[in-house]
Amino acid sequence: MPARLDLQAISLLRERDPRGFELAYAEYAPRLYGFLRRLTGRADLADDLLQQAFLRLAERGPELRSDSDLRAWLFTVARNAYLSEVRTSRNKQEPVALEGLASPSPDVEARLLLGDVEQALALLRLEDREVLLLIGVEGLAHDTVSTLLGITPAALRQRLSRARSRLLAELERAPQATDGATPRARSQP
């Protein structure tokens, strides 16, 4: 069931009231950007895709059903924009490469661990990253994510399990950065 804020934003969007867009942007832009930043590994591309998602909301907001899950809708639009960008980049022979993530402060153990997770996450395949981000970071329900990805709940459970295993394998493979050195970056296959 959509949250109260979603219902209010959708109601305003359906009435073509700009306050609906403002509510949606204030609530979801930071989370959507974080998802896109981790999915793409690039700040510039995440910015562009975020803009595309909210442009789509401005265009299609009045058409949303009153009971729509706005968060799931926005994540679906953002993911589809990313997949479109990947297809376009492949057609141009310009791969969408992951840039190295900034290394965390070596003197803060928690940040080091987070940096290791970010590095390992960046090395995973798109399918693994997106399922881990949508469920683990964004906290979307499994049924919402299976619908968003267009797979069955059983396939989602299997994909999530494999993604977690691959993330753990990447974390185990990463060198220990106890001397302040930046962990090595590997390129995407």
Side-chain angles (χ1 to χ4, degrees):
M1 175 165 195
R4 184 174 180 270
L5 185 127
D6 281 10
L7 295 173
Q8 183 180 8
I10 290 170
S11 175
L12 291 168
L13 285 164
R14 289 170 54 91
E15 296 170 8
R16 300 185 187 279
D17 185 328
R19 292 178 297 167
F21 182 88
E22 292 166 5
L23 276 173
Y25 191 86
E27 179 69 17
Y28 296 116
R31 295 167 63 187
L32 199 56
Y33 176 79
F35 167 73
L36 290 167
R37 178 67 175 90
R38 286 179 175 96
L39 187 66
T40 65
R42 293 179 38 197
D44 62 328
L45 183 54
D47 285 334
D48 290 347
L49 296 173
L50 179 70
Q51 215 172 27
Q52 286 180 38
F54 278 98
L55 282 173
R56 185 83 167 161
L57 179 63
E59 294 169 353
R60 301 290 186 182
E63 302 168 14
L64 289 173
R65 290 190 338 252
S66 58
D67 64 344
S68 295
D69 182 340
L70 187 56
R71 178 173 71 159
W73 189 89
L74 284 167
F75 276 90
T76 300
V77 170
R79 177 182 178 267
N80 289 343
Y82 174 69
L83 294 176
S84 179
E85 179 66 29
V86 169
R87 282 189 298 273
T88 301
S89 294
R90 285 184 186 152
N91 289 340
K92 292 180 184 177
Q93 298 301 326
E94 297 171 7
V96 177
L98 293 174
E99 65 186 30
L101 298 171
S103 61
S105 173
D107 60 337
V108 179
E109 199 169 308
R111 290 198 62 202
L112 178 60
L113 178 58
L114 179 59
D116 290 347
V117 172
E118 291 285 352
Q119 288 281 338
L121 189 62
L123 296 171
L124 297 178
R125 298 180 345 212
L126 168 64
E127 294 82 12
D128 294 337
R129 276 195 322 269
E130 68 185 358
V131 73
L132 290 169
L133 291 170
L134 290 169
I135 291 173
V137 176
E138 291 306 321
L140 292 174
H142 286 222
D143 59 336
T144 301
V145 174
S146 65
T147 301
L148 190 151
L149 298 178
I151 59 177
T152 65
L156 175 69
R157 285 190 300 275
Q158 187 175 45
R159 185 180 291 183
L160 181 59
S161 175
R162 288 180 181 159
R164 286 175 175 156
S165 295
R166 289 181 182 124
L167 180 62
L168 182 59
E170 287 296 340
L171 286 168
E172 289 173 347
R173 210 180 346 241
Q176 299 299 319
T178 57
D179 61 355
T182 303
R184 66 179 166 81
R186 285 185 277 135
S187 60
Q188 285 281 43

